Amino acid sequence: ITSPTEGQFAFLKDSDSLTYRSASSWETFSSGMDGSGGNHSGVNNGYKYHIFTSNGTFTANIAGRVECLLIAGGGSGGRGANSGGGGGAGGLILTTVAVSAGSNAVVVGDGGAAPGSSGTTGNTGIDSTFAGLTAKGGGAGAKNNDQGGTGGSGGGGASGGTAGGNGGVAIDTTISPAKVWFAKN
């Protein structure tokens, strides 16, 4: 079709699919997306949800867009001789994202491991990923008189008036205008 118009339908014989013209692109017409996967799933207010508390796979019956809340693991606190800074919270992304038909990997970031002996910096939380998105792990808490680590949310500074670490920025570019969900410091 050389000059398609919005709302026009076309059947693609090679893929046995029905498409329609939306604004400036062709979209696949379907009876709706369905999926499986996660540690918990259910239906609430007409929405089917899948919750992952560990790594897994979201399997979609067709390609499409899903709403996604992605949270990374938090950083662990530092261990100072007198005091250590607290670990930063894991980064958060709330957006809609395109998923492929079939398997879509889900990585759920763990919290940072506890530090060893006294005078040890905490550990950064592990990133969570899904469909090309990455929520950054929380920053490590500082040891004695050090600055907290950089992460989704910065780790806390230790005794002596030290600064916390820098936070991350997540920008939702799927909605115009783009929205910043959380920002540095």
Side-chain angles (χ1 to χ4, degrees), residues 56-133:
T57 302
F58 174 72
T59 304
N61 65 329
I62 60 171
R65 298 188 71 74
V66 296
E67 294 178 11
C68 174
L69 171 63
L70 190 63
I71 305 171
S76 63
R79 288 188 65 182
N82 299 320
S83 65
L92 174 139
I93 298 174
L94 174 62
T95 189
T96 59
V97 64
V99 295
S100 305
S103 298
N104 296 270
V106 176
V107 175
V108 177
D110 289 333
S117 60
S118 182
T120 306
T121 299
N123 291 291
T124 301
I126 307 302
D127 296 348
S128 291
T129 61
F130 174 66
L133 299 173

Side-chain angles (χ1 to χ4, degrees), residues 46-59:
Y47 290 92
K48 186 171 184 183
Y49 63 88
H50 300 269
I51 299 172
F52 291 81
T53 57
S54 60
N55 296 346
T57 302
F58 174 72
T59 304

Side-chain angles (χ1 to χ4, degrees), residues 2-92:
T2 56
S3 298
T5 59
E6 187 171 6
Q8 188 173 13
F9 284 84
F11 180 76
L12 304 178
K13 187 176 177 182
D14 60 338
S15 62
D16 289 331
S17 60
L18 182 62
T19 62
Y20 64 95
R21 186 67 177 188
S22 172
S24 61
S25 64
W26 287 98
E27 304 289 335
T28 301
F29 184 79
S30 70
S31 60
M33 174 180 273
D34 195 8
S36 62
N39 303 90
H40 308 281
S41 62
V43 178
N44 191 9
N45 289 333
Y47 290 92
K48 186 171 184 183
Y49 63 88
H50 300 269
I51 299 172
F52 291 81
T53 57
S54 60
N55 296 346
T57 302
F58 174 72
T59 304
N61 65 329
I62 60 171
R65 298 188 71 74
V66 296
E67 294 178 11
C68 174
L69 171 63
L70 190 63
I71 305 171
S76 63
R79 288 188 65 182
N82 299 320
S83 65
L92 174 139

Side-chain angles (χ1 to χ4, degrees), residues 151-179:
S153 289
S159 62
T162 59
N166 292 333
V169 176
I171 300 175
D172 176 3
T173 57
T174 62
I175 301 170
S176 182
K179 295 179 181 177

